[in-house]
Amino acid sequence: PALRRLSHSLLAHYQKATRPVRDWRTTTDVAIDLMVYAILSVDEKNQVLTTYVWYRQHWTDEFLRWDPARFDNLTQISLPVESIWVPDILINEFVDVGKSPHVPYVYVSHHGEVQNLKPIQVMTACSLDIYNFPFDVQNCSLTFTSWLHHIRDVNLSLWRQPELVKFDRSVFMNQGEWELLYVLSRFQEFSVKSSDSYAEMKFYVVIRRRPLFYTVSLLLPSIFLMVMDIVGFYLPPNSGERVSFKITLLLGYSVFLIIVSDTLPATAVGTPLIGVYFVVCMALLVISLTETILIVRLVHKQDLQPHVPGWVKRLLLERATVLLCIWDRDKFSQSRTQSSDISRQAENDSTAKLNQYGCEDPRECETVGGAGPTPASAVRAEGSPLLHGVLREITAIRQFLEKREEFRDVAREWLQVGYVLDVLLF
C-alpha cells in the first residue's frame, strides 16, 4: 500500500512534457557515466565501430520529492520511464540503433534524484587508421549531448572522477580481438552558426588490436616463402630445377595473396603497410625468377653469347665489388688472369702443332720470309686435300675451345655477382 500511495501521489499531477524545475531559470544538471563492456566488431571498410556499453544518467526532478515519514520511511521507488521527464541526450556518432535492450524503469529517491541505468549497443562512425595493421591502435569517440536543450537549460557533467573512468576495466570482457587501453573523458561547449551554446561530454575509447593471429597466419608464411626463395639459389643452374622451383614459389605466393585479400581491411583512406610489404615481396620473387632465367640461359647457351667486353669485366669485378662489400678482389683478378693464361697457352700449343705439320696454305709458306717447307713436302701438301681438311678442323676446334674456356670463366664470375645481388635485394 505504501508503494501504491507514493506512486499515485507522485504521478497524479505530474506533467512529463515540461522540464522538471519550479523556476525556469534553473538549469537541469545531468551527470553521465560510461563503462565499456565489450568491443563487438570493427568494420574498417565502412568505418564503423560496434561496442556494448553500460550507460548511466543522473539528474534532479523537483516534482518527485516526498517525505519518507508519510510513506513508511520509503526512500526509493522505481517508476516507469514513460511517465516522467527524461533528458534527450543522444550520441552524435550514431549510425544505427542496434539491438539495445529496453529498460522500462528508473530509480527515484525522496530528494528527487533520478537514476537511469541501461545497457546500450552502440554502432558509431569512427575514423579508423589501418596503416599499421595488424599492430594498430584506434581512438574512437562517443559524444553525448542534448539534441534540443541549450546549455542554460540542460548542462552535462561527469558522474565519477576522470581518473576512475579512464582505467575502469571492471566489466570489460578481455577475450576478443581488441584490447581496451583506457577511456578518456572531456567536457566542452559548441555552438551552431553563432546561436546558443550546447553542452557535450566526449568519451574517447582507445583500443588496440591483438596481432598474434595475423602474425602467425600472414607474416610468418610470407617470410618462409622469401627464405625459400633465397635457399633456391643454392641449386645448380645446369640442373634445370631452379626455374621450376622459382615458378612454384611464385605460384604459391599468388595463392597466398588471394587468401590474404579477404583478411586485409579494404578502405579508400589509405593502404596498410603490410599490403605494401606483400607487393614488395611479390616484386622480389618476380625479379628473382627473371634473374634465374637469365643465368640459366648464360649457362646453357654460352656458345651463342658474344664475348664479354673488357670494360664490363672491369666494372663488375673491380668497381662493383666495393659496392657489394666483396673485399677479396684478388680472387676475381686471379681467375681472370688464369683464364687469359690458359687461352694463350692453348693458342701457342695449337700453333706449334700446326707448324710441325706445315702451314695451312703451302703457297703462303713459300712466299713469306723464304722459310717454308721443302719442295717435296709442299708437293705432298698440295697433293693431299685430306691434310688440308684436318688442319682446318684443328684450327676451328682450337678457336671454339678458346672461346668456350673464356666464356666459362666469365659465366662463373657472373653467377657469383648475381648471387650477391639476390641476397642484397632480399
Side-chain angles (χ1 to χ4, degrees):
L3 286 175
R4 290 188 178 183
R5 288 191 295 110
L6 179 58
S7 176
H8 182 270
S9 174
L10 293 176
L11 301 179
H13 304 284
Y14 189 86
Q15 298 292 331
K16 67 176 183 179
T18 58
R19 192 163 55 91
V21 291
R22 299 186 182 276
D23 186 2
W24 65 272
R25 301 178 185 87
T26 304
T27 302
T28 302
D29 190 8
V30 180
I32 62 178
D33 189 19
L34 183 71
M35 290 185 293
V36 181
Y37 184 76
I39 306 296
L40 300 182
S41 66
V42 179
D43 190 354
E44 293 88 354
K45 183 177 181 180
N46 297 320
Q47 301 283 299
V48 175
L49 171 68
T50 304
T51 56
Y52 194 79
V53 299
W54 288 4
Y55 175 65
R56 300 190 298 175
Q57 290 180 344
H58 174 274
W59 70 92
T60 301
D61 194 328
E62 298 181 1
F63 298 103
L64 296 178
R65 294 176 179 176
W66 70 90
D67 184 9
R70 295 175 53 191
F71 301 96
D72 294 341
N73 294 324
L74 188 61
T75 58
Q76 285 187 341
I77 187 175
S78 59
L79 297 177
V81 68
E82 292 84 3
S83 301
I84 65 173
W85 179 88
V86 177
D88 57 335
I89 296 178
L90 301 177
I91 301 178
N92 291 341
E93 293 86 358
F94 254 135
V95 294
D96 196 355
V97 178
K99 301 178 181 179
S100 303
H102 177 65
V103 179
Y105 296 99
V106 294
Y107 254 123
V108 183
S109 66
H110 67 284
H111 296 295
E113 297 176 354
V114 183
Q115 295 184 10
N116 185 13
L117 291 75
K118 56 183 178 180
I120 305 176
Q121 180 179 341
V122 183
M123 299 184 64
T124 57
C126 179
S127 179
L128 301 175
D129 184 11
I130 60 171
Y131 180 75
N132 295 322
F133 176 87
F135 305 95
D136 53 337
V137 177
Q138 306 296 341
N139 185 1
C140 298
S141 62
L142 302 178
T143 306
F144 293 86
T145 183
S146 175
W147 197 254
L148 178 63
H149 296 87
H150 300 156
I151 191 173
R152 66 174 180 268
D153 294 334
V154 175
N155 191 15
L156 300 181
S157 61
L158 195 61
W159 192 329
R160 296 183 296 170
Q161 295 295 326
E163 292 77 12
L164 299 178
V165 178
K166 181 176 181 180
F167 299 105
D168 186 9
R169 302 186 185 91
S170 57
V171 298
F172 181 71
M173 296 183 61
N174 195 19
Q175 301 296 330
E177 178 184 356
W178 294 89
E179 176 186 1
L180 178 64
L181 297 181
Y182 47 84
V183 179
L184 300 177
S185 58
R186 188 182 66 179
F187 173 80
Q188 66 181 15
E189 300 180 11
F190 76 98
S191 59
V192 180
K193 295 182 179 180
S194 300
S195 61
D196 293 334
S197 299
Y198 293 85
E200 65 179 13
M201 182 66 68
K202 278 183 173 291
F203 292 92
Y204 296 94
V205 180
V206 182
I207 56 178
R208 178 173 58 193
R209 193 194 305 265
R210 292 186 173 93
L212 180 60
F213 171 76
Y214 298 97
T215 302
V216 174
S217 60
L218 297 182
L219 293 180
L220 290 182
S222 177
I223 294 175
F224 291 157
L225 288 177
M226 298 305 299
V227 171
M228 292 303 299
D229 180 65
I230 293 181
V231 174
F233 284 101
Y234 284 96
L235 292 174
N238 53 2
S239 64
E241 298 295 333
R242 180 185 287 189
V243 176
S244 60
F245 180 74
K246 298 281 187 179
I247 293 177
T248 304
L249 284 179
L250 186 61
L251 179 61
Y253 205 83
S254 301
V255 176
F256 174 72
L257 287 182
I258 294 176
I259 299 175
V260 167
S261 62
D262 297 333
T263 306
L264 290 179
T267 177
V269 176
T271 302
L273 188 60
I274 190 174
V276 179
Y277 164 75
F278 287 146
V279 172
V280 171
C281 290
M282 191 74 172
L284 289 178
L285 286 175
V286 174
I287 293 174
S288 174
L289 177 60
T290 305
E291 186 178 0
T292 301
I293 293 174
L294 294 177
I295 292 176
V296 172
R297 175 174 175 81
L298 287 174
V299 172
H300 292 277
K301 298 295 183 179
Q302 52 186 346
D303 53 342
L304 301 179
Q305 302 295 328
H307 292 286
V308 178
W311 66 272
V312 176
K313 294 182 180 179
R314 290 191 299 271
L315 178 62
L316 292 179
L317 302 181
E318 295 180 4
R319 307 299 182 189
T321 53
V322 178
L323 298 177
L324 300 177
C325 300
I326 301 176
W327 303 107
D328 193 7
R329 290 180 290 176
D330 298 335
K331 180 179 178 181
F332 297 102
S333 301
Q334 183 180 0
S335 176
R336 189 169 64 256
T337 304
Q338 291 178 357
S339 175
S340 301
D341 294 341
I342 292 174
S343 300
R344 286 195 298 270
Q345 184 179 358
E347 183 179 358
N348 294 333
D349 294 341
S350 301
T351 305
K353 290 180 181 180
L354 288 176
N355 291 334
Q356 181 180 359
Y357 292 102
C359 298
E360 185 177 355
D361 192 357
R363 295 187 181 89
E364 295 180 357
C365 294
E366 293 178 358
T367 58
V368 178
T374 58
S377 62
V379 172
R380 280 197 308 272
E382 291 178 357
S384 61
L386 180 61
L387 182 58
H388 286 286
V390 171
L391 293 176
R392 284 194 297 269
E393 292 295 333
I394 291 175
T395 304
I397 292 174
R398 176 178 60 83
Q399 295 176 355
F400 174 74
L401 289 177
E402 291 176 357
K403 294 180 179 180
R404 186 178 182 86
E405 187 68 25
E406 180 181 359
F407 183 81
R408 183 177 299 169
D409 296 336
V410 175
R412 189 181 297 110
E413 296 170 356
W414 273 92
L415 287 176
Q416 294 174 354
V417 175
Y419 173 74
V420 175
L421 287 174
D422 291 327
V423 175
L424 291 178
L425 282 176
F426 175 75

Coordinates of all heavy atoms in Angstrom, one line a residue, residues 372-421:
G372 N 109.9 -21.7 -95.8 CA 108.8 -22.6 -96.0 C 109.2 -24.0 -96.0 O 110.4 -24.3 -95.7
P373 N 108.3 -24.9 -96.2 CA 108.7 -26.4 -96.2 C 109.4 -26.7 -97.4 O 109.6 -25.9 -98.4 CB 107.3 -27.0 -96.1 CG 106.4 -26.0 -96.7 CD 106.9 -24.7 -96.4
T374 N 110.0 -27.9 -97.5 CA 110.8 -28.4 -98.6 C 109.9 -28.6 -99.8 O 108.7 -28.8 -99.6 CB 111.4 -29.7 -98.2 OG1 110.4 -30.6 -97.9 CG2 112.4 -29.5 -97.1
P375 N 110.4 -28.5 -101.0 CA 109.5 -28.7 -102.1 C 108.8 -30.0 -102.1 O 107.7 -30.1 -102.5 CB 110.5 -28.6 -103.3 CG 111.6 -27.8 -102.8 CD 111.8 -28.1 -101.3
A376 N 109.5 -31.1 -101.6 CA 108.8 -32.4 -101.6 C 107.6 -32.4 -100.7 O 106.5 -32.9 -101.0 CB 109.8 -33.5 -101.1
S377 N 107.8 -31.8 -99.5 CA 106.6 -31.7 -98.6 C 105.6 -30.8 -99.1 O 104.4 -31.0 -98.9 CB 107.1 -31.1 -97.2 OG 107.6 -29.8 -97.3
A378 N 106.0 -29.7 -99.9 CA 105.0 -28.9 -100.5 C 104.2 -29.6 -101.5 O 103.0 -29.5 -101.6 CB 105.7 -27.6 -101.1
V379 N 104.9 -30.5 -102.2 CA 104.2 -31.3 -103.2 C 103.2 -32.2 -102.6 O 102.1 -32.4 -103.0 CB 105.2 -32.0 -104.1 CG1 104.5 -33.0 -105.1 CG2 106.0 -31.0 -105.0
R380 N 103.7 -32.8 -101.4 CA 102.8 -33.7 -100.7 C 101.6 -33.0 -100.1 O 100.4 -33.4 -100.1 CB 103.5 -34.4 -99.5 CG 104.4 -35.6 -100.0 CD 104.7 -36.5 -98.8 NE 105.3 -35.7 -97.7 CZ 106.6 -35.4 -97.6 NH1 107.5 -35.9 -98.6 NH2 107.1 -34.8 -96.6
A381 N 101.8 -31.7 -99.6 CA 100.7 -30.9 -99.1 C 99.7 -30.5 -100.1 O 98.5 -30.5 -99.9 CB 101.3 -29.7 -98.4
E382 N 100.3 -30.2 -101.3 CA 99.4 -29.8 -102.4 C 98.6 -31.0 -102.9 O 97.5 -30.9 -103.3 CB 100.1 -29.1 -103.5 CG 100.7 -27.8 -103.2 CD 101.5 -27.2 -104.3 OE1 101.6 -27.9 -105.3 OE2 101.9 -26.0 -104.2
G383 N 99.2 -32.1 -102.8 CA 98.6 -33.3 -103.4 C 97.7 -34.1 -102.4 O 97.1 -35.1 -102.8
S384 N 97.6 -33.6 -101.2 CA 96.7 -34.3 -100.2 C 95.6 -33.4 -99.6 O 95.9 -32.6 -98.7 CB 97.5 -34.9 -99.0 OG 98.2 -33.9 -98.4
P385 N 94.5 -33.3 -100.2 CA 93.4 -32.4 -99.7 C 92.9 -32.9 -98.3 O 92.3 -32.1 -97.6 CB 92.3 -32.6 -100.8 CG 92.6 -33.8 -101.5 CD 94.1 -34.0 -101.5
L386 N 93.1 -34.2 -98.0 CA 92.7 -34.7 -96.7 C 93.4 -33.9 -95.5 O 92.9 -33.6 -94.5 CB 93.0 -36.2 -96.6 CG 92.6 -36.8 -95.2 CD1 91.1 -36.6 -94.9 CD2 92.9 -38.3 -95.2
L387 N 94.8 -33.7 -95.8 CA 95.5 -33.0 -94.7 C 95.0 -31.5 -94.6 O 95.0 -31.0 -93.4 CB 97.0 -33.0 -95.1 CG 98.0 -32.3 -94.1 CD1 97.9 -33.0 -92.8 CD2 99.4 -32.3 -94.6
H388 N 94.7 -30.9 -95.7 CA 94.2 -29.5 -95.6 C 92.9 -29.5 -94.7 O 92.6 -28.6 -93.9 CB 93.9 -28.9 -97.0 CG 95.1 -28.6 -97.7 ND1 95.9 -27.4 -97.4 CD2 95.8 -29.2 -98.7 CE1 96.9 -27.3 -98.2 NE2 96.9 -28.4 -99.0
G389 N 92.0 -30.5 -94.9 CA 90.8 -30.5 -94.2 C 91.0 -30.7 -92.7 O 90.4 -30.1 -91.9
V390 N 92.0 -31.6 -92.4 CA 92.3 -31.9 -91.0 C 92.8 -30.7 -90.3 O 92.5 -30.3 -89.2 CB 93.3 -33.1 -90.9 CG1 93.8 -33.2 -89.4 CG2 92.6 -34.4 -91.3
L391 N 93.7 -29.9 -91.0 CA 94.3 -28.7 -90.4 C 93.2 -27.7 -90.2 O 93.2 -27.0 -89.2 CB 95.4 -28.1 -91.3 CG 96.6 -29.0 -91.5 CD1 97.6 -28.4 -92.4 CD2 97.3 -29.1 -90.1
R392 N 92.3 -27.5 -91.1 CA 91.2 -26.6 -90.9 C 90.3 -27.0 -89.7 O 89.8 -26.1 -88.9 CB 90.3 -26.4 -92.2 CG 91.0 -25.6 -93.3 CD 90.0 -25.2 -94.3 NE 89.5 -26.4 -95.0 CZ 90.0 -27.0 -96.1 NH1 91.1 -26.4 -96.7 NH2 89.5 -28.0 -96.7
E393 N 90.0 -28.3 -89.6 CA 89.2 -28.7 -88.4 C 89.9 -28.5 -87.1 O 89.3 -28.1 -86.1 CB 88.9 -30.2 -88.6 CG 87.9 -30.5 -89.7 CD 86.6 -29.9 -89.5 OE1 86.2 -29.7 -88.4 OE2 85.9 -29.6 -90.5
I394 N 91.2 -28.7 -87.1 CA 92.0 -28.5 -85.9 C 92.0 -27.0 -85.5 O 91.8 -26.6 -84.3 CB 93.5 -29.0 -86.0 CG1 93.5 -30.5 -86.1 CG2 94.3 -28.5 -84.9 CD1 94.8 -31.1 -86.4
T395 N 92.1 -26.1 -86.5 CA 92.1 -24.7 -86.2 C 90.7 -24.2 -85.7 O 90.6 -23.5 -84.7 CB 92.4 -23.9 -87.5 OG1 93.7 -24.3 -88.0 CG2 92.4 -22.4 -87.2
A396 N 89.6 -24.8 -86.3 CA 88.3 -24.4 -85.8 C 88.0 -24.9 -84.4 O 87.4 -24.2 -83.6 CB 87.2 -25.0 -86.8
I397 N 88.5 -26.1 -84.1 CA 88.3 -26.7 -82.7 C 89.1 -25.9 -81.7 O 88.6 -25.6 -80.6 CB 88.7 -28.2 -82.7 CG1 87.7 -29.0 -83.5 CG2 88.8 -28.7 -81.3 CD1 88.1 -30.4 -83.7
R398 N 90.3 -25.4 -82.1 CA 91.1 -24.6 -81.2 C 90.4 -23.3 -80.9 O 90.3 -22.9 -79.7 CB 92.5 -24.4 -81.8 CG 93.4 -23.4 -81.0 CD 94.7 -23.3 -81.6 NE 94.6 -22.7 -83.0 CZ 94.5 -21.4 -83.2 NH1 94.5 -20.5 -82.2 NH2 94.4 -20.9 -84.4
Q399 N 89.9 -22.6 -81.9 CA 89.2 -21.4 -81.7 C 87.9 -21.6 -80.8 O 87.6 -20.8 -79.9 CB 88.8 -20.7 -83.0 CG 90.0 -20.3 -83.8 CD 89.6 -19.8 -85.2 OE1 88.4 -19.8 -85.5 NE2 90.6 -19.3 -86.0
F400 N 87.2 -22.7 -81.1 CA 86.0 -22.9 -80.3 C 86.3 -23.2 -78.8 O 85.7 -22.7 -77.9 CB 85.2 -24.1 -80.9 CG 84.1 -24.5 -80.0 CD1 82.9 -23.8 -80.0 CD2 84.1 -25.7 -79.3 CE1 81.8 -24.2 -79.3 CE2 83.0 -26.1 -78.5 CZ 81.9 -25.3 -78.5
L401 N 87.4 -24.0 -78.6 CA 87.8 -24.2 -77.2 C 88.3 -23.0 -76.5 O 88.0 -22.8 -75.3 CB 88.9 -25.3 -77.2 CG 88.5 -26.7 -77.6 CD1 89.7 -27.7 -77.6 CD2 87.4 -27.3 -76.6
E402 N 89.0 -22.1 -77.2 CA 89.4 -20.9 -76.5 C 88.2 -20.0 -76.1 O 88.1 -19.5 -75.0 CB 90.3 -20.1 -77.5 CG 91.6 -20.7 -77.7 CD 92.5 -20.0 -78.7 OE1 91.9 -19.0 -79.3 OE2 93.6 -20.3 -79.0
K403 N 87.2 -19.9 -77.0 CA 86.0 -19.1 -76.7 C 85.2 -19.8 -75.6 O 84.7 -19.1 -74.7 CB 85.1 -19.0 -77.9 CG 85.7 -18.1 -79.0 CD 84.7 -18.0 -80.2 CE 85.3 -17.2 -81.3 NZ 84.4 -17.1 -82.5
R404 N 85.1 -21.1 -75.6 CA 84.4 -21.8 -74.5 C 85.0 -21.6 -73.2 O 84.4 -21.4 -72.2 CB 84.3 -23.3 -74.9 CG 83.4 -24.1 -74.0 CD 83.3 -25.5 -74.4 NE 82.4 -26.3 -73.6 CZ 81.1 -26.3 -73.7 NH1 80.5 -25.7 -74.7 NH2 80.3 -27.1 -72.9
E405 N 86.4 -21.8 -73.1 CA 87.1 -21.6 -71.8 C 86.9 -20.2 -71.3 O 86.7 -20.0 -70.1 CB 88.5 -22.0 -72.0 CG 89.3 -22.0 -70.7 CD 88.9 -23.2 -69.9 OE1 88.4 -24.2 -70.4 OE2 89.1 -23.1 -68.6
E406 N 87.1 -19.2 -72.2 CA 86.9 -17.8 -71.7 C 85.5 -17.5 -71.3 O 85.3 -16.9 -70.2 CB 87.3 -16.9 -72.8 CG 87.2 -15.4 -72.5 CD 87.6 -14.5 -73.6 OE1 87.9 -15.0 -74.7 OE2 87.6 -13.3 -73.4
F407 N 84.5 -18.0 -71.9 CA 83.2 -17.8 -71.6 C 82.8 -18.5 -70.3 O 82.0 -18.0 -69.5 CB 82.2 -18.2 -72.7 CG 80.8 -17.9 -72.4 CD1 80.3 -16.6 -72.6 CD2 79.9 -18.9 -71.9 CE1 79.0 -16.3 -72.3 CE2 78.6 -18.6 -71.6 CZ 78.1 -17.3 -71.8
R408 N 83.4 -19.7 -70.0 CA 83.1 -20.4 -68.8 C 83.6 -19.6 -67.6 O 82.9 -19.5 -66.6 CB 83.7 -21.8 -68.8 CG 83.5 -22.7 -67.6 CD 84.1 -24.0 -67.8 NE 83.5 -24.7 -69.0 CZ 84.0 -25.8 -69.5 NH1 85.1 -26.4 -68.9 NH2 83.5 -26.4 -70.5
D409 N 84.7 -19.0 -67.7 CA 85.2 -18.2 -66.6 C 84.4 -17.0 -66.3 O 84.0 -16.6 -65.2 CB 86.7 -17.8 -66.8 CG 87.6 -19.0 -66.9 OD1 87.3 -20.0 -66.3 OD2 88.7 -18.9 -67.5
V410 N 84.0 -16.3 -67.4 CA 83.1 -15.1 -67.3 C 81.7 -15.5 -66.7 O 81.2 -14.8 -65.8 CB 83.0 -14.4 -68.6 CG1 82.0 -13.3 -68.5 CG2 84.3 -13.9 -69.1
A411 N 81.2 -16.6 -67.2 CA 79.9 -17.1 -66.6 C 80.0 -17.4 -65.1 O 79.1 -17.1 -64.4 CB 79.4 -18.3 -67.4
R412 N 81.1 -18.0 -64.7 CA 81.3 -18.3 -63.3 C 81.3 -17.0 -62.5 O 80.7 -16.9 -61.4 CB 82.5 -19.1 -63.1 CG 82.7 -19.6 -61.7 CD 84.0 -20.4 -61.5 NE 84.0 -21.6 -62.4 CZ 84.8 -21.7 -63.4 NH1 85.6 -20.7 -63.8 NH2 84.8 -22.8 -64.2
E413 N 82.0 -16.0 -63.0 CA 82.1 -14.7 -62.3 C 80.7 -14.0 -62.2 O 80.3 -13.5 -61.2 CB 83.1 -13.8 -62.9 CG 84.5 -14.4 -62.8 CD 85.5 -13.6 -63.7 OE1 85.0 -12.7 -64.4 OE2 86.7 -13.8 -63.6
W414 N 79.9 -14.1 -63.3 CA 78.6 -13.5 -63.3 C 77.7 -14.2 -62.3 O 76.8 -13.6 -61.7 CB 78.0 -13.6 -64.7 CG 78.3 -12.5 -65.6 CD1 79.4 -12.4 -66.5 CD2 77.6 -11.3 -65.7 NE1 79.4 -11.2 -67.1 CE2 78.3 -10.5 -66.7 CE3 76.5 -10.7 -65.1 CZ2 77.9 -9.2 -67.0 CZ3 76.1 -9.5 -65.4 CH2 76.8 -8.7 -66.4
L415 N 77.8 -15.6 -62.2 CA 77.0 -16.3 -61.2 C 77.3 -15.8 -59.8 O 76.4 -15.7 -59.0 CB 77.2 -17.8 -61.4 CG 76.6 -18.5 -62.6 CD1 77.1 -19.9 -62.6 CD2 75.1 -18.4 -62.6
Q416 N 78.6 -15.6 -59.5 CA 78.9 -15.1 -58.1 C 78.4 -13.7 -57.9 O 77.8 -13.5 -56.8 CB 80.4 -15.1 -58.0 CG 81.0 -16.5 -58.0 CD 82.6 -16.5 -58.0 OE1 83.2 -15.4 -58.1 NE2 83.2 -17.7 -57.9
V417 N 78.5 -12.8 -58.8 CA 78.0 -11.5 -58.7 C 76.4 -11.5 -58.6 O 75.8 -10.8 -57.8 CB 78.4 -10.6 -59.8 CG1 77.8 -9.2 -59.7 CG2 80.0 -10.4 -59.8
G418 N 75.8 -12.4 -59.4 CA 74.3 -12.4 -59.3 C 73.8 -13.0 -58.0 O 72.8 -12.5 -57.5
Y419 N 74.5 -13.9 -57.4 CA 74.1 -14.4 -56.1 C 74.2 -13.3 -55.1 O 73.3 -13.2 -54.2 CB 75.0 -15.6 -55.7 CG 74.8 -16.1 -54.3 CD1 73.6 -16.8 -54.0 CD2 75.7 -15.8 -53.3 CE1 73.4 -17.3 -52.7 CE2 75.5 -16.3 -52.0 CZ 74.3 -17.0 -51.7 OH 74.1 -17.4 -50.5
V420 N 75.2 -12.5 -55.1 CA 75.4 -11.4 -54.1 C 74.3 -10.4 -54.3 O 73.7 -9.9 -53.3 CB 76.8 -10.8 -54.2 CG1 76.9 -9.6 -53.3 CG2 77.8 -11.8 -53.8
L421 N 73.9 -10.1 -55.6 CA 72.9 -9.2 -55.8 C 71.5 -9.7 -55.3 O 70.7 -8.9 -54.8 CB 72.8 -8.9 -57.3 CG 73.9 -8.0 -57.9 CD1 73.7 -7.9 -59.4 CD2 73.8 -6.6 -57.3

